[in-house]
Amino acid sequence: MDTNVQKRRENKKSLRVKVISLGNAEVGKSCIIKRYCEKRFVPKYLATIGIDYGVTKVQVRDREIKVNIFDMAGHPFFYEVRNEFYKDSQGVILVYDVGLRESFDALDSWLTEMKQEMGSQANMENIIFVVCANKVDLTKRRVVDESEGKLWAESRGFHYFETSAQSGEGINEMFQAFFSSITDMCENGGKRPTSEVNVGFTKEQADTIRRIRNSKDSWDMLGVKPGATREEVNKAYRKLAVLLHPDKCVAPGSEDAFKAVVNARTSLLKNIK
Ligand code: GTP
Ligand code: MG
């Protein structure tokens, strides 16, 4: 075969992508990458200094993907070093530790830092995000449950995986889905395909479930003032029931939220004449 034709074909099949890892210090970013690339786990904590860079090759369908991985340091001290590396990423691995709520709460500020550093042409829509709820092997210390993490991720159109760099759980599945989505996006002209963003539930449903989880009492849960009348309680209940009914709502955590609303209404009505 003509060598130029052959080269062109090979070029079409091979792809180069850049991915970065983000999340608080010590959540397991480097260990997740090491588990995937080197098939091993390092129990001792060796903080990443600024940034670690590595290259790996993966096969997605008929394409060979050359992946440049920039593993960021989570410590605020290294902000000045990592801020330059956000640009031109096709994929982001967002990691939190299921045993540390503050590392989950920090995900929003990682997205904010990223947006800020990418500048005005930042288009977060055309980046594939995968959220790793890491250290699931440490079941006893878990404080952020699956539905809460999944809701946060899926309401933003991000993938969600439960992972353990220690046992290897979820790691290969996560990377496979991640690289496959990045390839789909590249083949779609660099745009995230719409199926990636379509999550099957609304922002209102996601926000309501989050609000219910964080409510301080039954009044607060139903969104009525303490001392509200039976009619007001029932009206608020009906609105939430329509929004969250398990037959209609597929958002993670909707079933628990629906049950909590039913219970809140029952307990309030008991005490209202
Ligand atoms: P920085 O580089 O400082 O941002 O931290 P990092 O997010 O890269 O964390 P790293 O991968 O270095 O892991 C931190 C600590 O958590 C190490 O002691 C790891 O051995 C441990 N660790 C990481 N993943 C897991 C896991 O899935 N399970 C358990 N039990 N420990 C883990
Ligand atoms: Mg690290």
Side-chain angles (χ1 to χ4, degrees), residues 97-220:
D97 174 346
V98 295
L100 289 174
R101 177 158 292 276
E102 62 268 30
S103 71
F104 174 65
D105 292 340
L107 294 179
D108 281 312
S109 51
W110 283 104
L111 288 181
T112 308
E113 180 177 305
M114 177 170 181
K115 261 185 226 162
Q116 217 167 20
E117 296 313 319
M118 292 198 346
S120 54
Q121 319 117 338
N123 192 350
M124 304 283 275
E125 284 308 304
N126 295 329
I127 297 171
I128 302 295
F129 286 86
V130 62
V131 176
C132 295
N134 195 40
K135 306 199 188 183
V136 292
D137 56 289
L138 301 172
T139 47
K140 282 199 186 124
R141 63 185 275 280
R142 183 161 190 165
V143 292
V144 185
D145 71 17
E146 182 175 358
S147 65
E148 199 174 353
K150 219 171 172 182
L151 183 69
W152 188 91
E154 292 183 355
S155 59
R156 288 165 175 78
F158 300 170
H159 294 279
Y160 171 86
F161 282 88
E162 302 247 300
T163 59
S164 166
Q166 193 243 35
S167 71
E169 181 182 336
I171 302 289
N172 282 340
E173 293 85 341
M174 180 274 288
F175 276 104
Q176 265 160 23
F178 185 48
F179 294 141
S180 158
S181 287
I182 291 176
T183 309
D184 290 345
M185 184 181 70
C186 294
E187 288 175 353
N188 193 40
K191 289 207 173 84
R192 190 154 55 144
T194 44
S195 60
E196 284 277 341
V197 193
N198 187 1
V199 293
F201 56 87
T202 64
K203 185 171 181 302
E204 186 186 10
Q205 286 171 326
D207 290 346
T208 305
I209 294 168
R210 227 171 274 132
R211 191 187 63 70
I212 287 169
R213 275 176 178 279
N214 297 330
S215 56
K216 55 182 193 296
D217 56 29
S218 298
W219 303 109
D220 190 29

Side-chain angles (χ1 to χ4, degrees), residues 10-27:
E10 278 163 11
N11 279 346
K12 187 177 176 288
K13 283 189 177 170
S14 70
L15 202 66
R16 228 171 210 277
V17 301
K18 173 185 172 182
V19 304
I20 59 174
S21 67
L22 291 185
N24 279 8
E26 227 172 317
V27 294

Side-chain angles (χ1 to χ4, degrees), residues 23-32 41-49 71-75 95 134-138 163-167:
N24 279 8
E26 227 172 317
V27 294
K29 300 178 295 296
S30 303
C31 285
I32 287 173
F41 175 67
V42 186
K44 192 166 175 270
Y45 175 42
L46 296 163
T48 302
I49 308 297
D71 176 25
M72 306 247 198
H75 199 283
V95 185
N134 195 40
K135 306 199 188 183
V136 292
D137 56 289
L138 301 172
T163 59
S164 166
Q166 193 243 35
S167 71

